[in-house]
Amino acid sequence: MTAWRKAGLAVAVAACLLAASPFMQGGEWLKSRPAAAADGGVGTERTITVTGQGSMEIAPDIAYVQLGIQTRAATAQAAQSENAEAFQELEKVLFETYKLDPKDVQTTGFHVNPEFDYSDKQGPKVTGYAVTHAIQVSYRDLETIGPLLDAASRAGVNQINGIRFGTEKSEQYEIDVLAKAMANARAKAEAIAKTENRTVQQVLHVSQGQVSMPDNGLFPARKMVELTTEQAVSTPISAGQLTISTTVTVQYSF
């Protein structure tokens, strides 16, 4: 073979080796690798996303009672003075008879409003003033709410705007319903995985929904005033039950 042909053959072999070099390492051919997933893993991870629900019924342990005293007089000063006297009688009932803690009685409104006569052709005229002092009483002896309302009415309360039942253990109950919701989510995920002949693995993500704790037992003022002023028996009040619920959205690998 001539010298120039040998030189050309050597150049061609070298070119082939250079082209193949990205696929060689330590004298071994590298196999092609699958593309990495965005999370750093290989391939696509199989997941299940379900919504679990948890709820429970509890007995309320506190009542928020809305009471008010309204007085009327020809002048604002006279109306306020009468209102203050009536409120002192109410305080005796709350703090002396029922031994309430002052922190459980909160003023929610105090209003002084003129009252008008619109029948005069020359325009409305002020005929007097109405003073309203409203409070909220936090009361825990739920068995005696009726007698409390009766005593308050006799002391001068002429507005009972409602009762809202609640609980002072909301944090503990929230934990309890969350546990129920997570168990429900797990059961749903396992049922889905079973249809695919697979098993649920680890939790990847959890999102909690809002905890629902609705108020219970709201009574209109007019009906309650009728009960306390027109009946000799104690006002019947039933606390009933409170329903607490929540949801969780859980993603599992399987």
Side-chain angles (χ1 to χ4, degrees):
M1 183 180 295
T2 61
W4 67 269
R5 286 183 177 177
K6 290 181 179 179
L9 181 59
V11 171
V13 171
C16 291
L17 291 175
L18 287 173
S21 62
F23 300 98
M24 297 186 67
Q25 182 177 353
E28 295 180 356
W29 293 94
L30 292 182
K31 298 179 180 179
S32 61
R33 298 175 180 176
D39 60 359
V42 177
T44 303
E45 188 173 27
R46 299 188 65 175
T47 63
I48 303 173
T49 302
V50 296
T51 298
Q53 298 176 330
S55 65
M56 61 188 299
E57 288 191 348
I58 64 163
D61 50 53
I62 190 169
Y64 303 98
V65 186
Q66 311 294 328
L67 304 175
I69 296 177
Q70 186 177 78
T71 54
R72 289 181 169 85
T75 66
Q77 182 177 0
Q80 289 185 41
S81 178
E82 291 182 19
N83 196 284
E85 291 179 5
F87 199 80
Q88 287 179 353
E89 295 301 314
L90 175 60
E91 287 182 324
K92 291 179 182 179
V93 170
L94 298 178
F95 300 131
E96 296 179 14
T97 304
Y98 283 86
K99 310 297 182 182
L100 295 184
D101 192 314
K103 69 180 182 181
D104 290 328
V105 179
Q106 180 183 27
T107 294
T108 57
F110 186 85
H111 308 284
V112 180
N113 297 313
E115 296 185 315
F116 297 92
D117 179 7
Y118 294 93
S119 62
D120 196 313
K121 295 182 179 179
Q122 295 182 357
K125 290 185 177 181
V126 175
T127 59
Y129 291 84
V131 174
T132 303
H133 189 172
I135 62 173
Q136 175 176 279
V137 177
S138 300
Y139 194 66
R140 295 170 181 82
D141 186 3
L142 304 189
E143 297 295 326
T144 62
I145 293 180
L148 170 67
L149 296 179
D150 297 336
S153 181
R154 290 191 295 269
V157 167
N158 51 17
Q159 292 185 346
I160 304 178
N161 298 315
I163 301 176
R164 180 171 56 88
F165 292 104
T167 178
E168 294 184 298
K169 304 174 185 176
S170 57
E171 292 185 4
Q172 180 58 51
Y173 290 138
E174 180 178 354
I175 292 173
D176 293 341
V177 295
L178 273 173
K180 288 178 176 288
M182 287 296 293
N184 181 248
R186 183 83 183 192
K188 289 181 178 180
E190 289 176 348
I192 295 172
K194 186 176 180 180
T195 63
E196 297 293 320
N197 296 319
R198 300 178 70 89
T199 58
V200 173
Q201 302 299 318
Q202 62 182 344
V203 174
L204 300 178
H205 183 265
V206 179
S207 176
Q208 180 191 353
Q210 184 176 1
V211 177
S212 174
M213 193 177 300
D215 296 332
N216 188 20
L218 185 63
F219 299 88
R222 180 177 300 175
K223 180 63 175 176
M224 293 186 67
V225 170
E226 290 175 357
L227 286 172
T228 57
T229 58
E230 296 180 5
Q231 295 186 13
V233 297
S234 177
T235 302
I237 300 296
S238 177
Q241 295 282 303
L242 296 176
T243 300
I244 303 175
S245 62
T246 192
T247 60
V248 291
T249 300
V250 188
Q251 185 181 63
Y252 300 90
S253 60
F254 78 110

